[in-house]
Amino acid sequence: ALPIGLMKEVEDLRTPSGKIAFVLQCGYFRASTRFFGNQFYQADISFVANRLALQMPIYLEIPKQTLARHRLVISEFFGFRRLMKDDKEQLATEITELVKQFYRPPEVFRQTLKKLENRKFILPSYDFLSTIISRALFRGKFIGAN
């Protein structure tokens, strides 16, 4: 079930596919505090279509602009925001400090996720975080070796 404010957004959408995609993105975001691509599980599409009493679409194709607009509405509703350039730089500095404390990449990763969730940031991709952690580990090895 969606909060009333988000159900009003769904009602304002024109197409059944748009409504289904909005609800799916909202559900995925609530479960993981991040957004995924435009691919949805068929079982999830069927479930949402039935819940909204909509005909099951043959193919759920949503333009990128529409997905981006949905994501903005959903993240703002729940009080989350994207990482901006300054946030990314601060995060890289914090990860470097975590690397110095923990040394183990999985623990650095877990601590980083906690920090981001506590600050109400939309979680970035695994690749983005693993790259920053790897760079901090690499720099730490060479700085510590001197």
Side-chain angles (χ1 to χ4, degrees):
L2 290 180
I4 293 170
L6 289 178
M7 275 310 293
K8 289 180 182 176
E9 292 288 338
V10 171
E11 291 167 5
D12 290 343
L13 295 171
R14 293 176 296 188
T15 66
S17 291
K19 292 178 182 195
I20 293 168
F22 186 92
V23 172
L24 288 171
Q25 285 188 95
C26 188
Y28 292 168
F29 182 77
R30 287 178 76 182
S32 65
T33 59
R34 63 179 294 229
F35 292 105
F36 301 92
N38 61 352
Q39 299 295 314
F40 303 104
Y41 291 107
Q42 194 62 39
D44 294 344
I45 295 169
S46 297
F47 178 81
V48 171
N50 287 334
R51 292 286 289 211
L52 296 176
L54 298 171
Q55 185 174 350
M56 176 71 176
I58 295 170
Y59 184 71
L60 191 66
E61 186 174 334
I62 309 298
K64 289 183 180 183
Q65 302 91 329
T66 302
L67 288 173
R69 198 169 44 253
H70 290 177
R71 291 171 181 172
L72 182 62
V73 168
I74 293 165
S75 60
E76 285 179 354
F77 182 86
F78 289 111
F80 282 77
R81 63 188 181 97
R82 289 183 350 189
L83 284 169
M84 304 309 277
K85 183 180 179 189
D86 293 343
D87 301 318
K88 290 176 183 179
E89 290 169 1
Q90 180 182 354
L91 182 63
T93 302
E94 291 175 4
I95 285 174
T96 299
E97 292 302 313
L98 287 172
V99 165
K100 290 177 186 176
Q101 292 175 20
F102 294 108
Y103 299 107
R104 294 180 45 234
E107 186 59 30
V108 172
F109 185 78
R110 279 191 286 279
Q111 292 294 324
T112 301
L113 289 179
K114 283 182 189 177
K115 285 177 183 259
L116 290 169
E117 287 177 348
N118 288 339
R119 294 180 190 154
K120 297 204 106 173
F121 281 110
I122 298 168
L123 295 180
S125 70
Y126 171 80
D127 290 339
F128 173 80
L129 291 176
S130 66
T131 299
I132 294 175
I133 293 169
S134 296
R135 287 179 184 160
L137 286 165
F138 183 76
R139 280 193 306 266
K141 285 183 180 180
F142 284 101
I143 290 172
N146 291 332

